[in-house]
Amino acid sequence: MEATRRSPIEHLARAAGAELALDAGWLIARSFPGASTGGPGLSDESHWGKVLLHGRAAGRVAAALALEAPEATGGGFRHQSKAVYRLRADQLIVILPPAAQRDALRALLAANTGDEMVTVTDVTHGRAQFRVTGPGTVDLLSRLCALDF
């Protein structure tokens, strides 16, 4: 029997009174109190896979998952339920649904061949991921980060 993995924010979610649930072997916050008040809703997606690809040939490795690496820093590309975002000129982050993590990581490692090596690092356990939806989302996110929404 596999151990239950825990979201990096489980302790905060529990303290906030969030409803916790198991999803793909992870204990995550399903909903937070007050989420239905008409403002932005927050859900914990920390159990989604997060893999960093570092190196000039990172785009070639991402192609193993049918993902086109965006050229511009901050750009993204989605294919089915997977996504890739360019963090820097030589670094990508790949986001994967929980059920696809193992096979996708194997495919990324297998594609890491050739003259230019790419560092493939699974950072799922160390990074939280949230989905913010609903009215007021743009206003909220514009206050939290420097992106132009």
Side-chain angles (χ1 to χ4, degrees), residues 22-146:
L22 280 174
D23 188 343
W26 284 77
L27 184 62
I28 61 165
R30 272 281 174 235
S31 63
F32 288 85
S36 61
T37 60
L42 180 69
S43 59
D44 182 8
E45 292 190 353
S46 298
H47 62 307
W48 279 64
K50 293 167 272 306
V51 179
L52 288 175
L53 304 178
H54 186 251
R56 284 188 230 153
R60 176 183 49 77
V61 172
L65 300 178
L67 293 171
E68 281 182 41
E71 294 293 323
T73 300
F77 175 79
R78 293 182 60 88
H79 176 68
Q80 297 174 343
S81 57
K82 302 173 292 230
V84 61
Y85 301 95
R86 183 161 304 275
L87 303 177
R88 308 189 310 230
D90 64 343
Q91 189 175 54
L92 303 172
I93 188 165
V94 177
I95 307 297
L96 306 158
Q101 289 179 39
R102 281 195 180 125
D103 290 340
L105 190 55
R106 282 188 194 112
L108 291 169
L109 290 168
N112 190 14
T113 59
D115 295 338
E116 289 189 79
M117 294 302 291
V118 174
T119 303
V120 179
T121 310
D122 184 352
V123 295
T124 304
H125 283 82
R127 300 214 175 163
Q129 179 174 316
F130 302 96
R131 180 176 301 271
V132 183
T133 57
T137 298
V138 171
D139 184 49
L140 172 66
L141 291 175
S142 67
R143 293 170 191 244
L144 294 175
C145 64

